[in-house]
Amino acid sequence: MKLGTASMKTAFPIASVWFGALVGPSMVSGAFAVVYFSPYGMWGMLLPFVSMGVACVIVGFGLLGIKEWRVDNYSDYGKHLYGRYAKYLSPLLEIYLILAMLVGGSSVIVMGGIFFHDLIGTPTLVGQILMAIISSVLVLWGAELVRRSSVFMTIVLLIGFFLLIIISCYSEAAALTEKVLNWYVPDGRNPWSGIIPAIALGLSNACNALTLSSVGQHLRTNGDVVLTTIISFTINSLMFIGCVLFLLPYVPDVLIEEVPNLYVIQKYLVDDFFWLPAVYNIVMLFGLASSGAPQLNAVTYRVINFYPDKGIFKNPVNRNICTSIIYMAVCILIAQLGLQTIIGKGYSALGYLAIPLIVIPLCICLPVRLYKEKH
């Protein structure tokens, strides 16, 4: 396979969209870490490589299909991917991806409610509605705005969260050093039991292999695909590891907290760094916005042609507004289940369901299909 030239201008925006969708509020809050990584102590520093390795292989194949077939929504992608079996499998894919977008969107909404409640004292439901509005605004004018805003927000997330990690490590240097040198693992935890959940988390990202089609229009070469995958693996893995490192000095006590990173800041760090909550709030706000927008954008791209091409729906912005209202209303309802339930149960279930619907077709059938099309 010839790679061709790779463009950072093409690769980084697409990687940023996935980064935001994957590790936005769930990373910044520490929720992913306490469910999938931190319970295993030092082994939790390695498990993100397992999750993101699995995810990036799947998404890499997905990006290859986007480049070859020039599709801009997951429905058209499914028709190309499944071939003559599309009439049987495409409806199942539609259901699966709707569930995936709802799980992802509802985690953003529930975290948004907590965020605005802590920041300005709004009722949780009002905070959830504010979060829905912010995410919706970013998708009204299409994929280009999502790409551009995701690049900016990813840079803010990287810088802001890196600062939080440095402060935590500096403040608890002695405890962190002791746990690292002694390869700390909480009592009763078998590190091997963390492998399966980590793989499930990686598999749950299979939907991004198809939904990134809504922002992947600029992929031109195999080099673009490879570079996007490498950037994604690097920044996603490092941010998860950073979150584990941030929480490690406070394990196991922090594992029972719904928003562990905020708990650490308020209980252990704010006395010495009074400005740290402000940094956390900025990072969380951008994490929420960067995660909610890509998922809603994928939905709007899928359903935009369902609207009649007349009246107020002649304007694509009005179509996106209508889709946003319906999608966010459902996400708000699901958000009432709570963050830990959505992340712990929802993402694992999505991972296992993705194996027959996305993983096998992408990693086995897609290369065969592309080879036949070119020969």
Side-chain angles (χ1 to χ4, degrees), residues 36 40 47 50-51 191-203 348 352:
Y36 292 102
Y40 305 98
L47 291 174
V50 176
S51 291
W192 292 105
S193 65
I195 297 291
I196 299 301
I199 292 174
L201 177 61
L203 291 172
S348 294
Y352 297 127

Side-chain angles (χ1 to χ4, degrees), residues 127-146:
Q128 292 174 352
I129 294 172
L130 286 174
M131 192 63 250
I133 293 172
I134 292 171
S135 297
S136 299
V137 167
L138 290 173
V139 306
L140 295 183
W141 291 275
E144 188 59 33
L145 177 60
V146 174

Side-chain angles (χ1 to χ4, degrees), residues 38-110:
S38 294
Y40 305 98
M42 283 300 297
W43 290 109
M45 301 282 288
L46 303 179
L47 291 174
F49 290 121
V50 176
S51 291
M52 292 302 99
V54 171
C56 285
V57 168
I58 300 167
V59 171
F61 278 112
L63 295 174
L64 182 62
I66 294 170
K67 177 190 76 74
E68 293 292 338
W69 291 326
R70 315 307 309 160
V71 290
D72 64 5
N73 66 81
Y74 60 78
S75 180
D76 289 343
Y77 198 134
K79 292 175 183 177
H80 282 278
L81 181 63
Y82 296 139
R84 65 177 180 269
Y85 300 106
K87 64 180 180 180
Y88 306 110
L89 295 177
S90 289
L92 297 177
L93 179 66
E94 293 277 358
I95 295 171
Y96 173 83
L97 288 173
I98 289 172
L99 290 174
M101 296 303 101
L102 290 174
V103 168
S106 60
S107 67
V108 172
I109 295 300
V110 69

Side-chain angles (χ1 to χ4, degrees), residues 7-338:
S7 169
M8 181 65 73
K9 187 177 179 180
T10 296
F12 191 73
I14 298 172
S16 298
V17 172
W18 183 22
F19 175 85
L22 171 66
V23 295
S26 298
M27 178 270 286
V28 179
S29 69
F32 266 146
V34 298
V35 172
Y36 292 102
F37 306 128
S38 294
Y40 305 98
M42 283 300 297
W43 290 109
M45 301 282 288
L46 303 179
L47 291 174
F49 290 121
V50 176
S51 291
M52 292 302 99
V54 171
C56 285
V57 168
I58 300 167
V59 171
F61 278 112
L63 295 174
L64 182 62
I66 294 170
K67 177 190 76 74
E68 293 292 338
W69 291 326
R70 315 307 309 160
V71 290
D72 64 5
N73 66 81
Y74 60 78
S75 180
D76 289 343
Y77 198 134
K79 292 175 183 177
H80 282 278
L81 181 63
Y82 296 139
R84 65 177 180 269
Y85 300 106
K87 64 180 180 180
Y88 306 110
L89 295 177
S90 289
L92 297 177
L93 179 66
E94 293 277 358
I95 295 171
Y96 173 83
L97 288 173
I98 289 172
L99 290 174
M101 296 303 101
L102 290 174
V103 168
S106 60
S107 67
V108 172
I109 295 300
V110 69
M111 196 61 234
I114 296 171
F115 170 75
F116 284 111
H117 174 74
D118 291 338
L119 182 65
I120 57 178
T122 61
T124 301
L125 181 60
V126 174
Q128 292 174 352
I129 294 172
L130 286 174
M131 192 63 250
I133 293 172
I134 292 171
S135 297
S136 299
V137 167
L138 290 173
V139 306
L140 295 183
W141 291 275
E144 188 59 33
L145 177 60
V146 174
R147 277 191 295 265
R148 290 178 182 273
S149 61
S150 291
V151 169
F152 174 72
M153 289 186 287
T154 292
I155 294 172
V156 172
L157 281 167
L158 289 169
I159 295 173
F161 201 67
F162 181 74
L163 178 61
L164 294 176
I165 294 167
I166 294 298
I167 295 297
S168 175
C169 293
Y170 170 79
S171 179
E172 297 291 335
L176 180 62
T177 301
E178 181 182 357
K179 287 187 174 181
V180 171
L181 293 179
N182 293 313
W183 200 259
Y184 166 76
V185 179
D187 293 338
R189 289 288 183 174
N190 178 3
W192 292 105
S193 65
I195 297 291
I196 299 301
I199 292 174
L201 177 61
L203 291 172
S204 73
N205 279 270
C207 60
N208 289 295
L210 306 189
T211 58
L212 284 173
S213 59
S214 65
V215 294
Q217 296 91 341
H218 294 169
L219 290 169
R220 292 290 181 269
T221 68
N222 291 331
D224 287 338
V225 171
V226 172
L227 183 59
T228 303
T229 305
I230 291 173
I231 293 172
S232 297
F233 176 78
T234 302
I235 61 176
N236 293 347
S237 297
L238 290 180
M239 281 301 98
F240 274 133
I241 291 170
C243 194
V244 175
L245 197 62
F246 180 88
L247 295 175
L248 187 60
Y250 317 100
V251 172
D253 294 344
V254 76
L255 297 178
I256 63 174
E257 298 297 324
E258 185 176 27
V259 189
N261 288 358
L262 182 60
Y263 169 81
V264 167
I265 291 171
Q266 293 177 337
K267 184 174 177 64
Y268 297 102
L269 304 179
V270 71
D271 290 341
D272 295 325
F273 307 94
F274 68 91
W275 44 267
L276 205 57
V279 174
Y280 172 84
N281 287 331
I282 292 171
V283 174
M284 175 56 78
L285 179 60
F286 281 96
L288 288 165
S290 70
S291 187
Q295 296 172 90
L296 176 55
N297 186 63
V299 175
T300 58
Y301 255 80
R302 172 65 188 96
V303 304
I304 194 168
N305 292 324
F306 288 178
Y307 292 95
D309 192 19
K310 58 185 178 181
I312 62 171
F313 294 123
K314 270 187 167 294
N315 187 341
V317 173
N318 291 334
R319 300 182 187 188
N320 289 347
I321 291 174
C322 185
T323 302
S324 298
I325 292 173
I326 297 171
Y327 171 79
M328 286 302 178
V330 178
C331 286
I332 289 173
L333 288 175
I334 297 174
Q336 309 316 307
L337 295 173

